[in-house]
C-alpha cells in the first residue's frame, strides 16, 4: 500500500495541496484499511475513493494532453529521474514506489537548497513520507548515480534537465539550471538528516 501511495503522494506534491492534506490527515487510515474502507466518511464522500479519484484526475490532467510526449516538460517525472538507476542496482529489494520516494525525498532537499521550499515545508513533506511508511534514504543512492542519471536525462530530453521540483506543497515547476554545487550540498544535508532512517 505504501508503495502505491508513493505515486499518489507524487501527484499531490506536484499539483494538489488538497490531496497532500488528505494524505496528511488520513494516510494512516488508508494504510491500515488497504484503501478498502469507506469508514471515516467525510461530508462529501469516502476518503479512499476521494484520494484515488483525485490522484487519477491530476495524473490525467498531465498525461491526456501529452499522450505522445511531445512536451518533455513532465511533472509526472518527479521521483523518476534517479530512481531507475537505484532500482537497477538494488532490485528486487526495493519496490518501484519506494525507489520513487527516495528520489522524491532527495529532490525535496534539492528544492529546499535552491530556496523553492522552506525548511518547514521540506520537513513537512519528509514527515508525510515517513508516516506513509516509505523509505526516505538509501545507502546505494550515492552522488555518483545521481550524476549519471542526470547526465543520461540530458541525452534523452534535448539537452535540458527538465527537472520537476516542488515549489511549495502542491505546486511545482520544471527547472533546467540545477548545478552540481546544489546537488552536492543537498545530498550532504539529506544524508546528514536522514541516513539513520534506513
Ligand atoms: Zn512510477
Amino acid at each position: 500500500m505504501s508503495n502505491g501511495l508513493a505515486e499518489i503522494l507524487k501527484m499531490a506534491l506536484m499539483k494538489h495541496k488538497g490531496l497532500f492534506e488528505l494524505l496528511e490527515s488520513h494516510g494512516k487510515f488508508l494504510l491500515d484499511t488497504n484503501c478498502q474502507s469507506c469508514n471515516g466518511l467525510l461530508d462529501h464522500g469516502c476518503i479512499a475513493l476521494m484520494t484515488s479519484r483525485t490522484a487519477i484526475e491530476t495524473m490525467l490532467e498531465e498525461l491526456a494532453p501529452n499522450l505522445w510526449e511531445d512536451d518533455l516538460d513532465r511533472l509526472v517525472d518527479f521521483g523518476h529521474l534517479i530512481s531507475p538507476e537505484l532500482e537497477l542496482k538494488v532490485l528486487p529489494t526495493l519496490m518501484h514506489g519506494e525507489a520513487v520516494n527516495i528520489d522524491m525525498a532527495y529532490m525535496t532537499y534539492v528544492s529546499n537548497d535552491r530556496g523553492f521550499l522552506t525548511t518547514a515545508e521540506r520537513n513537512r513533506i519528509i514527515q508525510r513520507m515517513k508516516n506513509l511508511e516509505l523509505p526516505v534514504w538509501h545507502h546505494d543512492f550515492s552522488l555518483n548515480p545521481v550524476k549519471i542519471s542526470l547526465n543520461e536525462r540530458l541525452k534523452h530530453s534535448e539537452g535540458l534537465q527538465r527537472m520537476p521540483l516542488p515549489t511549495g506543497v502542491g505546486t511545482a515547476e520544471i527547472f533546467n539550471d540545477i548545478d552540481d554545487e546544489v546537488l552536492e550540498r543537498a545530498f550532504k544535508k539529506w544524508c546528514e538528516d536522514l541516513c539513520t532512517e534506513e
Side-chain angles (χ1 to χ4, degrees):
M1 286 311 298
S2 292
N3 185 49
L5 285 169
E7 296 276 4
I8 293 181
L9 178 61
K10 174 187 83 172
M11 295 318 296
L13 288 173
M14 292 291 95
K15 280 184 71 87
H16 206 297
K17 190 176 185 185
L19 182 57
F20 183 88
E21 287 168 349
L22 211 54
L23 289 174
E24 217 163 35
S25 51
H26 295 95
K28 177 90 176 78
F29 173 79
L30 292 170
L31 266 184
D32 291 347
T33 56
N34 290 337
C35 289
Q36 295 297 308
S37 173
C38 269
N39 289 337
L41 286 174
L42 297 177
D43 289 346
H44 32 289
C46 166
I47 291 157
L49 273 179
M50 270 179 65
T51 305
S52 51
R53 180 180 299 247
T54 311
I56 290 166
E57 281 169 0
T58 53
M59 191 79 175
L60 282 176
E61 274 169 28
E62 287 299 301
L63 295 182
N66 194 23
L67 275 184
W68 307 107
E69 299 187 358
D70 299 317
D71 184 359
L72 296 173
D73 287 345
R74 291 159 36 97
L75 293 180
V76 292
D77 286 353
F78 185 52
H80 294 70
L81 268 61
I82 296 143
S83 56
E85 190 75 21
L86 180 65
E87 283 181 284
L88 277 178
K89 242 180 136 183
V90 300
L91 267 177
T93 56
L94 216 55
M95 296 183 86
H96 175 69
E98 293 172 325
V100 165
N101 198 73
I102 292 162
D103 182 324
M104 294 198 296
Y106 169 60
M107 289 298 174
T108 298
Y109 272 78
V110 170
S111 188
N112 174 235
D113 185 86
R114 277 292 304 266
F116 307 143
L117 279 180
T118 65
T119 299
E121 287 169 331
R122 181 199 75 194
N123 293 345
R124 184 180 172 195
I125 292 169
I126 298 293
Q127 192 54 49
R128 173 59 18 226
M129 292 169 168
K130 288 186 197 172
N131 290 354
L132 292 176
E133 298 177 18
L134 285 160
V136 290
W137 193 81
H138 194 285
H139 65 272
D140 278 323
F141 191 116
S142 63
L143 206 46
N144 201 34
V146 168
K147 290 190 175 170
I148 292 172
S149 306
L150 295 178
N151 278 333
E152 277 300 303
R153 181 159 179 91
L154 290 178
K155 287 186 209 158
H156 301 293
S157 57
E158 298 171 347
L160 293 173
Q161 278 179 324
R162 303 179 194 273
M163 192 186 284
L165 289 175
T167 53
V169 173
T171 57
E173 281 176 46
I174 304 280
F175 295 90
N176 294 307
D177 61 347
I178 307 299
D179 62 30
D180 280 359
E181 223 173 285
V182 172
L183 294 172
E184 283 162 23
R185 217 169 31 229
F187 190 83
K188 197 163 168 263
K189 182 77 184 127
W190 180 56
C191 293
E192 269 171 29
D193 286 358
L194 299 176
C195 67
T196 53
E197 298 287 340
E198 197 174 15

